Amino acid sequence: MNICFDTETTGLDSRNDEVLQLSIIDADSGKTLFNEYMKPTHTDSWEQAQAVNGIAPEMVEDCLTIEEYKSTIQRIFDKADTVLGYNVNFDVGFLRTAGIKIENRLVDVMTEFAEIYGEWNDARDDWKWQKLTTAAAYYGLSFEGTAHDSLADAKMTAAVYKEMHKI
């Protein structure tokens, strides 16, 4: 089984920020395997992240924590052969910090798409990373929902991957 996942978080630091939303889909069928909002355990506010992902503290105050979902999440990753993500190492870092073991083959759709898009970054001496919305537009794809909702982003990442590989 190939899965695709995405997170929305309280910030950019996987050691200190926390997961607010996690979505995992079966990358082949598109079926949603997991889609939950989560209450952070040590972060009370995240104004900068909220401006991007739209997740306010009151939206997650009554949700379970990632720790309470940990065994369910782990079972899904344990069944997967390949894990797809857009900037996958960013999201993997948050799950690993939460204690999820991810030992699957990882595919970063963002870095694969960067080469296809073909914009060079002299400072990094590599292909410039593009936003998921840019990848979607490149292939003429429309989001189900809005960008920066982890379920919409996971579905779009899988769709971009399929377009890239003509699956």
Side-chain angles (χ1 to χ4, degrees):
M1 173 175 67
N2 300 314
I3 63 173
C4 186
F5 84 105
D6 189 65
T7 63
E8 296 303 330
T9 63
T10 60
L12 302 176
D13 182 350
S14 65
R15 290 190 199 114
N16 296 306
D17 290 309
E18 299 178 79
V19 175
L20 294 170
Q21 182 187 17
L22 170 64
S23 301
I24 309 169
I25 65 167
D26 179 319
D28 302 316
S29 70
K31 178 183 174 193
T32 301
L33 303 174
F34 185 89
N35 180 39
E36 296 292 341
Y37 287 95
M38 298 172 196
K39 179 173 71 174
T41 59
H42 61 268
T43 309
D44 296 326
S45 64
W46 46 89
E47 291 84 11
Q48 288 182 321
Q50 183 178 340
V52 174
N53 61 35
I55 302 172
E58 56 273 8
M59 292 172 62
V60 295
E61 67 187 357
D62 295 326
C63 295
L64 299 178
T65 66
I66 195 166
E67 182 65 31
E68 294 170 285
Y69 286 118
K70 191 172 160 183
S71 63
T72 300
I73 297 165
Q74 188 65 63
R75 275 194 300 276
I76 295 169
F77 277 90
D78 287 348
K79 290 179 185 174
D81 299 308
T82 302
V83 174
L84 307 172
Y86 207 85
N87 195 7
V88 73
N89 290 321
F90 173 83
D91 298 300
V92 163
F94 280 89
L95 296 186
R96 285 184 173 151
T97 296
I100 308 296
K101 292 181 180 73
I102 301 174
E103 299 168 353
N104 321 70
R105 181 173 88 85
L106 298 174
V107 175
D108 190 343
V109 177
M110 180 185 71
T111 57
E112 284 190 12
F113 177 71
E115 186 173 353
I116 291 168
Y117 195 76
E119 186 176 338
W120 191 255
N121 181 329
D122 287 327
R124 289 185 48 246
D125 195 32
D126 201 355
W127 300 108
K128 181 181 178 194
W129 296 345
Q130 303 296 323
K131 294 180 179 186
L132 180 56
T133 53
T134 301
Y138 182 86
Y139 290 110
L141 301 170
S142 298
F143 277 82
E144 282 183 42
T146 59
H148 297 295
D149 169 89
S150 65
L151 184 58
D153 288 357
K155 287 180 177 183
M156 184 53 68
T157 298
V160 166
Y161 181 80
K162 287 178 182 179
E163 285 293 322
M164 287 170 33
H165 295 275
K166 299 296 180 202
I167 297 172

